[in-house]
Amino acid sequence: MTDSEPLTTAAGAPPTPPPSAVDSDTTAVPVATTPAEPAGAGDRPPQSRVRWIAAGGAIALVILVTALAAIVLTSSTPSSVVLGYVPTDSVAYGEMRFDLPGDQRQKVGQFLSKFPGFADQAALETKLDEVLDRLISEGSQGKQTFTRDVKPWFGGQLGFAIGPIPDVDPNAPMSSTARGVLLVTVKDEALARAWFTNTLGQAGVTGTSETYQGTELTLFASPDAPTKQAAFALAGGKVAIVGDVASVKAAIDTKGSSALAKGPGVAAAQAALTGDDLGFMFLDTKALFEASTRVTGSLSSASPLSSAITSLIPDWAAMRIRVEADALQLDAVTQHKAGMPGPDQNRANGVAAFAPPSTVALLAGNDYGRSLLDWIELYRSEPTLADAFAQIDQAAGMLGGLEALLSWMGDTGVVIAKSGDSVEGGVVSVPADPSGGRQLLTTIRSFLQLGGAQAGVTIRDEQYLGETITVIDLGDLRDLAAMAGGIGSLPTDPSSLPEGRAQIAYVATDEVIAIGSSADFIKHVLDAGAGASLADDARFKGLLGRVDAENTGVTFVDIAAIRGLAEGAMSSATDQQRTEYEASIKPFLTPFDALISTGAVGGELAETHTLITVK
């Protein structure tokens, strides 16, 4: 037996929840907010894909905007509820914990207090309510507000799941085969159902009711694609589920105890990423790779990767975000396969000991040359890359081959340092084979001396701290830019570039080999090696100690110093632009201090730890 009953909703107030289907499994539920008008009445566009997009977009927008700013509005819950409802065959899962589990409520308050307007924690909830009311009112054209329509039912946890990845059907649009669900915890089932029904109704979308495993589903579809249905359900009175019908039913099948949530990958990731967090994401990389293989296998021009490479692809990867009192903490962990190219042990990276104290950015890796050669050797076995490697080998042969080009590099990185109101920088390496590095630079110098004279290239040597600095003068910067413009288009007029000479300088000692933008940069590298360096800086050492002092690589960015350089370069800005920056932008940038990130390996795991600090 099938019944039909309209659900009339009043603008600005939640509608009465639909009746439960007790006499049948399917009940037609037309959802409307106003009486139907004859076709063509007024200026209202006809029902079409616009309404489908509006319905889904309105729901997603309100939930996401609510979640992103509801950071201190809900009560703390220690465990994830939405994770239990993730369909078992999902290939990706993510969650945001706006219920602030464990210590995150206190930490978030401390972190936000660094920013304008958030010092008074007692008024924080009221301020956020006002902001959310305004945002949601504007997003819903005045039909909803946060405090009246969303806050009463939102439980504070938001999750999503994707997959499985379907086989490619060239005759079917991707949207018709995509799988995924949005999961939201609720604290009032009736209000949550009423909000969803009202939102659909405001978008003019009609739904039907169906019972599945004792749970009521609301099915809805685009008028232009009636066979592709989406569904909404409230599972166990705890979680609202929105997505394609198959995925929603798969989430209901979990009964809040998902096998994926209890699987070895998620368990290993959560064991490694200890402590409470605000967000967690898990990727089934093995399933994603297998899906990618099926896609490429369907293309006649695609060649499968060799087993040497596929065997190194991790089965899973995960990441999370946590808040400390003075930092955002971002951590990632993945399965580490034996035989993976790259460093296999952790130790202090040596580049920072030669980076000037004024360094504003450092990106360095351990055993860089050997790691590159290992990766090259791995990919050299790929038949599809044979032609590319033949060309690479031919070019590298002029300088002694890839081994000569790369094997001399030990810990190596890019260093950018402040120099007055400008910056300088280059590549700095603690050589694994100093003689090999010197030989390569000597060979390059010989080539430039033979072929560069006619182009105006000059080479000179300078002595500094008992070492020889070689300076290669390439000519006037504007002339070089004009020559380059004759070959291809340039984004700027050469005449707009600053006056000066384009130079490359280098030094090669037993302790360091540096190639940089000027002789001054090379001198600053030698000064750092002989005296104070970034590695000696108390701030840098403190940051490094909070991630991994012993690592496989390190990244450092002095956010405060870069902001200062950017502000110093605002001389061309108008008075209005500077006033706007000082009043509306700078106060929210000033608290940010630095970024530090390290990678580390251990047993079967590879981890990355990142901090973005505020002061």
Side-chain angles (χ1 to χ4, degrees), residues 411-495:
D411 294 358
T412 303
V414 175
V415 176
I416 300 174
K418 183 178 179 181
S419 177
D421 294 331
S422 185
V423 294
E424 60 185 10
V427 175
V428 178
S429 180
V430 180
D433 178 10
S435 61
R438 279 192 289 265
Q439 180 59 47
L440 174 64
L441 292 172
T442 299
T443 301
I444 294 174
R445 175 176 178 152
S446 298
F447 276 117
L448 290 173
Q449 286 176 323
L450 290 173
Q454 293 182 346
V457 175
T458 61
I459 301 175
R460 72 177 190 272
D461 291 332
E462 298 181 12
Q463 298 299 312
Y464 186 76
L465 296 181
E467 303 293 347
T468 300
I469 299 174
T470 298
V471 181
I472 303 171
D473 191 318
L474 300 174
D476 183 84
L477 182 62
R478 293 181 178 179
D479 290 343
L480 290 172
M483 291 173 58
I487 300 174
S489 61
L490 285 178
T492 59
D493 181 355
S495 63

Side-chain angles (χ1 to χ4, degrees), residues 288-307:
L288 288 168
F289 172 73
E290 291 173 348
S292 174
T293 301
R294 292 196 303 271
V295 172
T296 56
S298 65
L299 304 176
S300 59
S301 60
S303 300
L305 294 173
S306 67
S307 59

Side-chain angles (χ1 to χ4, degrees), residues 64-408:
L64 287 173
V65 170
T66 298
L68 287 173
I71 207 97
V72 295
L73 304 185
T74 51
S75 59
S76 177
T77 303
S79 60
S80 172
V81 175
V82 290
L83 179 56
Y85 286 89
V86 177
T88 303
D89 55 2
S90 298
V91 297
Y93 166 73
E95 69 179 32
M96 290 180 281
R97 294 296 304 272
F98 302 106
D99 53 354
L100 303 178
D103 65 355
Q104 289 300 275
R105 173 170 294 277
Q106 178 184 5
K107 300 291 187 182
V108 166
Q110 293 170 334
F111 180 84
L112 289 178
S113 69
K114 312 291 184 180
F115 294 87
F118 290 93
D120 183 4
Q121 294 297 295
L124 184 58
E125 181 170 341
T126 300
K127 289 184 177 181
L128 288 177
D129 278 351
E130 293 173 354
V131 172
L132 286 168
D133 279 342
R134 183 171 64 252
L135 289 174
I136 292 179
S137 178
E138 291 175 356
S140 63
Q141 292 76 50
K143 297 176 182 178
Q144 296 191 19
T145 66
F146 169 71
T147 52
R148 184 189 64 211
D149 299 289
V150 178
K151 186 177 180 180
W153 61 262
F154 179 51
Q157 296 183 26
L158 174 66
F160 70 88
I162 300 173
I165 306 298
D167 292 334
V168 174
D169 183 354
N171 298 317
M174 183 175 296
S175 60
S176 66
T177 57
R179 294 278 306 275
V181 291
L182 183 69
L183 307 160
V184 186
T185 55
V186 301
K187 56 187 179 183
D188 189 306
E189 181 178 2
L191 290 179
R193 186 181 300 279
W195 177 84
F196 178 84
T197 303
N198 191 37
T199 302
L200 277 183
Q202 291 173 354
V205 173
T206 299
T208 60
S209 179
E210 174 182 301
T211 300
Y212 176 77
Q213 301 284 16
T215 299
E216 184 179 348
L217 278 67
T218 299
L219 309 181
F220 53 98
S222 164
D224 290 346
T227 60
K228 179 58 180 178
Q229 287 190 315
F232 164 77
L234 282 162
K238 300 177 181 178
V239 177
I241 309 170
V242 185
D244 66 276
V245 178
S247 295
V248 171
K249 289 182 177 180
I252 293 171
D253 288 338
T254 66
K255 295 180 171 57
S257 185
S258 171
L260 183 142
K262 298 179 179 179
V266 172
Q270 291 187 327
L273 303 175
T274 57
D276 301 302
D277 59 60
L278 296 182
F280 173 78
M281 186 169 184
F282 178 83
L283 300 175
D284 187 336
T285 48
K286 182 177 181 180
L288 288 168
F289 172 73
E290 291 173 348
S292 174
T293 301
R294 292 196 303 271
V295 172
T296 56
S298 65
L299 304 176
S300 59
S301 60
S303 300
L305 294 173
S306 67
S307 59
I309 293 178
T310 58
S311 64
L312 297 178
I313 296 174
D315 293 344
W316 57 268
M319 56 215 75
R320 67 94 178 260
I321 180 171
R322 171 180 163 80
V323 174
E324 295 291 349
D326 64 343
L328 291 175
Q329 179 178 335
L330 310 171
D331 301 308
V333 60
T334 187
Q335 186 183 39
H336 181 72
K337 294 291 189 75
M340 178 73 73
D344 57 4
Q345 61 180 356
N346 304 313
R347 56 177 176 77
N349 184 276
V351 176
F354 293 92
S358 60
T359 294
V360 297
L362 166 69
L363 175 60
N366 295 1
D367 303 324
Y368 194 70
R370 180 48 51 192
S371 296
L372 284 176
L373 288 169
D374 288 346
W375 279 109
I376 289 170
E377 189 62 28
L378 177 64
Y379 278 94
R380 189 182 290 278
S381 63
E382 293 300 303
T384 56
L385 299 178
D387 291 342
F389 272 110
Q391 296 178 28
I392 292 172
D393 289 337
Q394 183 177 7
M398 299 176 61
L399 297 173
L402 288 172
E403 188 76 21
L405 272 172
L406 302 174
S407 64
W408 61 270

